[in-house]
Amino acid sequence: MLIIDGKKVSLDLKNELKESVDNYKAQTGKVPGLTVIIVGKDPASQVYVRNKAKTCKEIGMISMVIEMPADTTEEHLLNTIKDLNNDPAVHGILVQQPLPKQIDEFAVTLAIDPSKDVDGFHPENLGRLVMGHLDKCFVSCTPYGILELLGRYNIETKGKHCVVVGRSNIVGKPMANLMLQKLEATNCTVTICHSATKNIPFYTQQADILIAAIGKAGFITADMVKPGAVVIDVGINRIEDASTKNGYRLVGDVDYEGVSAVASAMTPVPGGVGPMTIAMLLKNTLQSFQRTNGL
Ligand code: GUN
């Protein structure tokens, strides 16, 4: 079985991005800038934001993190976004989710200038993706990272049956729509399963490419997978494990041990889809910089 190594691909990609950033800096004197806003102190979000800022600096981009207290008003957040929309040094704006209850996430998504929406959450970007205008939008980072992995591993996709389990706006919906497009690493027949789907194994057993984005540890078991399928695991679930330092470990939505005996290729957790997400965020930020500077 082929292990699809997202850690390695993300390192390659970050090196490529660094080279581009260095070249543009020499050419124009400018560098791409990413601003991340975090509201409150959710521990998982703090880790994600720290990693985003660190990787951003590693590849030579300007990183700004705006930390706001948990009781921040929606109005204050929207005003801050407005200022960032008008700041020419800011090429990417990302508001870390989840947000506190008093703030409407959709209002925040709508407030971000689509040309700086490196998360790809704005309806204009998602709509362009659905219509196949990938060169004129931002694709949300996790699905984009999966596309990159399929491409770099030369996974055959044309005419294959791709089953996406999960229908979130961040992963399931953009993922399914991407796989439907007539592109090199896509062009699939697509089925989407979700929490109300009756008999999920009936569908997953027919998948040539199975993408699991459910959020439940070990949900996809070997009996649900067609022999030879390519299995992409988007899940990052904490399960208790007294033998580790933190008392927990991370597992995916796929029962790795069981499914690896059936699949032809698979992404591990950790080290599969996860590391690709930040790399694609920086790729989107570079793309925003290129578009605004006509590069
Ligand atoms: N929370 C978890 N994943 C993400 C992401 O990709 N973007 C944002 N903005 N928030 C998140």
Side-chain angles (χ1 to χ4, degrees):
M1 197 219 36
L2 171 72
I3 294 173
I4 299 176
D5 187 346
K7 195 164 174 194
K8 183 192 172 296
V9 174
S10 72
L11 286 174
D12 292 346
L13 193 60
K14 282 187 270 187
N15 285 332
E16 292 163 26
L17 291 170
K18 183 168 187 337
E19 204 178 314
S20 296
V21 171
D22 289 346
N23 286 340
Y24 287 134
K25 190 175 177 181
Q27 193 184 327
T28 66
K30 295 182 203 170
V31 286
L34 172 69
T35 298
V36 177
I37 302 177
I38 177 168
V39 186
K41 296 206 178 297
D42 176 67
S45 292
Q46 284 180 316
V47 174
Y48 290 139
V49 169
R50 214 177 301 138
N51 285 336
K52 285 169 188 170
K54 183 172 143 261
T55 318
C56 204
K57 286 179 196 152
E58 275 168 11
I59 68 160
M61 291 186 179
I62 294 174
S63 157
M64 183 161 78
V65 177
I66 301 177
E67 294 179 52
M68 295 184 177
D71 61 357
T72 299
T73 63
E74 184 178 306
E75 190 192 4
H76 178 70
L77 177 56
L78 294 181
N79 282 334
T80 305
I81 292 170
K82 223 178 274 170
D83 291 341
L84 295 170
N85 283 343
N86 293 324
D87 183 343
V90 175
H91 304 94
I93 303 168
L94 180 149
V95 180
Q96 187 66 26
Q97 294 184 1
L99 287 165
K101 285 187 300 292
Q102 75 277 13
I103 299 174
D104 176 1
E105 273 180 0
F106 191 50
V108 170
T109 299
L110 290 176
I112 297 171
D113 184 331
S115 73
K116 297 189 179 189
D117 168 39
V118 285
D119 252 335
F121 292 175
H122 194 287
E124 186 171 322
N125 283 314
L126 191 52
R128 286 174 183 242
L129 182 159
V130 172
M131 296 178 81
H133 298 292
L134 293 190
D135 55 334
K136 296 186 188 72
C137 77
F138 291 113
V139 178
S140 89
C141 303
T142 301
Y144 198 14
I146 293 169
L147 202 65
E148 189 80 22
L149 285 176
L150 294 174
R152 293 203 184 208
Y153 276 87
N154 293 314
I155 304 285
E156 213 186 309
T157 53
K158 187 178 175 184
K160 301 285 182 186
H161 185 194
C162 175
V163 177
V164 178
V165 190
R167 58 172 157 184
S168 69
N169 288 329
I170 298 183
V171 182
K173 282 180 201 159
M175 190 76 241
N177 278 285
L178 268 180
M179 297 311 287
L180 190 62
Q181 301 299 326
K182 197 174 173 182
L183 299 170
E184 214 143 279
T186 64
N187 219 354
C188 289
T189 300
V190 178
T191 299
I192 309 175
C193 297
H194 48 77
S195 53
T197 300
K198 293 193 173 79
N199 199 356
I200 290 179
F202 171 80
Y203 299 98
T204 58
Q205 282 159 2
Q206 297 174 51
D208 301 308
I209 299 163
L210 178 58
I211 302 177
I214 308 132
K216 284 191 183 150
F219 183 90
I220 303 288
T221 47
D223 57 305
M224 297 168 75
V225 178
K226 177 161 115 175
V230 174
V231 180
I232 306 293
D233 190 349
V234 183
I236 302 176
N237 308 291
R238 279 186 185 192
I239 61 163
E240 278 183 36
D241 185 345
S243 71
T244 67
K245 200 171 61 187
N246 312 322
Y248 71 84
R249 67 190 162 94
L250 296 179
V251 297
D253 290 349
V254 178
D255 168 28
Y256 188 84
E257 212 177 292
V259 173
S260 60
V262 182
S264 65
M266 227 176 136
T267 58
V269 175
V273 173
M276 291 300 292
T277 301
I278 291 183
M280 301 319 283
L281 173 69
L282 301 176
K283 184 165 174 159
N284 277 345
T285 305
L286 179 68
Q287 210 161 58
S288 171
F289 174 84
Q290 289 167 319
R291 285 177 191 157
T292 46
N293 290 289
L295 297 164

